[in-house]
Amino acid sequence: MPMVKLDVMHRHHPHVQEKLYGERRSLGSTDRFRDIHEHDHNRQRSISTSMKMSKTDPQLPMPSSAPIQLKISSGFDFGTNEYFVQFRVGTPPQKFLLIVDTGSDLTWLKCRYRRCLGNCTAHPHHKSRVEHKVKFDHPFLANHSSSFKLITCGSDFCLGDLQLLFAIPDCQVPSNPCVYDYSYIGGGAATGLFANETVTVGLTNGKEKQLHDTLIGCTELFNAMQLKGVDGILGLGTGAHSFTHRAALDKNGGGFSYCLIDHLSHHSATSYFILGYPPAEPLSVAPVGNMTFINLHLGGPFNSYYGVGLIGISIDGVTLNIPPRVWDIQKGGGTILDSGTSLSMLTAPAFDVFMEAMVQKLKKFQQILADPFAYCFNNTHYSHEMAPKLRFHFEKGVVFEPPPKSYIVKVDDILCLGFTSIPFPDTNILGNILQQNFLWQFDFFNKKVGFAPSQCI
């Protein structure tokens, strides 16, 4: 059965180069990772805050349509280790690059919207809440789309459901736009208007499909550098207003799969984000070996995030002595998979034990100080065949063993452990670098996550 297919492109792919030309950040790897480290910790604080607001499990209809397929690319050369997808919005469709974010529900784009034409002084929508709108290089031109439908602030939708997506409750004129003001703990903020729009997606059978009345955010102001070169966020969380849920309503849902290409791979590398019910055999990318499945925890204390039952870590076959509370969501711990966090994050009781064991294994190599990493070393006499074997142990005896390049990362001319510490109690995060070169398959109906090594091509 065909599914929705979103193209997943490498950062050097011609489509990405065309979009990002002139916006590449001339930073060395150390400076890039310093920015990434700051972004990851800001994001982690945001995740920690939002997980305190529990949600029920998403209720999705059984899919019957072809899966969606989006092409995905890495943004490492542009100061971020997030992944991008091509996205088409409006009638006729306008094309954009959005960040793949499995940790948020709202899909939004940098946007330009004129509330009236000609002499607007007497128009009730003339006054915008955003007094200092910026001129984006590549905005969504809402007035050029015949399917753009503004949501008003007096509607039940704005006054009810959209409050969870940071809609502003103040509504002096009921026909005015429903406005959001999404603030990020790191200092960034997105301000704009809620609307329903038509999204055009490719399917795995080669056809196209229009998803009508899809909730989007028309962002008129965004003041964070992390989105330089891309046009917005694709919200793929588990909430009722995420793009994941919207596709399910068009019977393209039930789950999704992705394969994150190595951020250092050749420019010809491409991969895909597939949105649809996970089939018996994975589509578009070939796993090396069979899929292994672990439990997927949705809703409740995990909010919009994708929880997994991690219960331990071992190095070279020796299980680390980490307190069980670190893995227990009911005791302040727990673990999520997150595409929007780059480095993996362990709470202090796990991180301290982990670092002590890894440093002991790597002590024969010269240690080098490189902020913001906790441990780096000289790689002159090192090869990945010499790396300690890191394994993550899940419920029911399932083991995830990433390749060394996914946890010992290259930073300029040295190597560093790709982990960072966060205080306990909090949630551990398995980031996108650790997930790279694996096919990940999320099955909402059976509440499972499958994974298998793959070249992602």
Side-chain angles (χ1 to χ4, degrees), residues 198-362:
T198 294
V199 174
T200 301
V201 294
L203 305 179
T204 53
N205 62 5
K207 298 181 180 180
E208 290 188 346
K209 181 176 183 177
Q210 282 72 46
L211 304 180
H212 301 290
D213 293 325
T214 299
L215 178 70
I216 67 164
C218 172
T219 291
E220 298 178 309
L221 179 64
F222 186 76
N223 64 348
M225 290 301 294
Q226 281 83 8
L227 285 188
K228 186 175 182 181
V230 291
D231 305 309
I233 302 288
L234 179 64
L236 296 168
T238 66
H241 303 297
S242 70
F243 185 70
T244 311
H245 197 277
R246 180 64 191 87
L249 296 180
D250 269 87
K251 301 190 182 296
N252 296 104
F256 61 85
S257 60
Y258 60 69
C259 201
L260 302 180
I261 51 179
D262 189 328
H263 64 281
L264 299 177
S265 59
H266 189 265
H267 69 272
S268 63
T270 60
S271 192
Y272 296 94
F273 181 95
I274 308 294
L275 186 56
Y277 185 70
E281 295 295 330
L283 299 176
S284 299
V285 291
V288 179
N290 296 324
M291 297 288 289
T292 301
F293 290 88
I294 58 177
N295 290 334
L296 173 63
H297 302 283
L298 302 172
F302 287 102
N303 199 276
S304 287
Y305 304 97
Y306 295 92
V308 291
L310 184 64
I311 60 173
I313 298 175
S314 68
I315 297 175
D316 284 343
V318 177
T319 301
L320 302 182
N321 187 23
I322 296 172
R325 69 179 185 277
V326 166
W327 315 123
D328 191 339
I329 189 69
Q330 302 299 333
K331 296 181 179 179
T335 306
I336 62 171
L337 290 168
D338 184 37
S339 69
T341 303
S342 300
L343 302 174
S344 292
M345 296 185 162
L346 297 175
T347 55
F351 180 83
D352 294 344
V353 174
F354 169 79
M355 287 300 298
E356 181 180 3
M358 289 294 286
V359 170
Q360 183 67 25
K361 295 288 184 178
L362 298 168

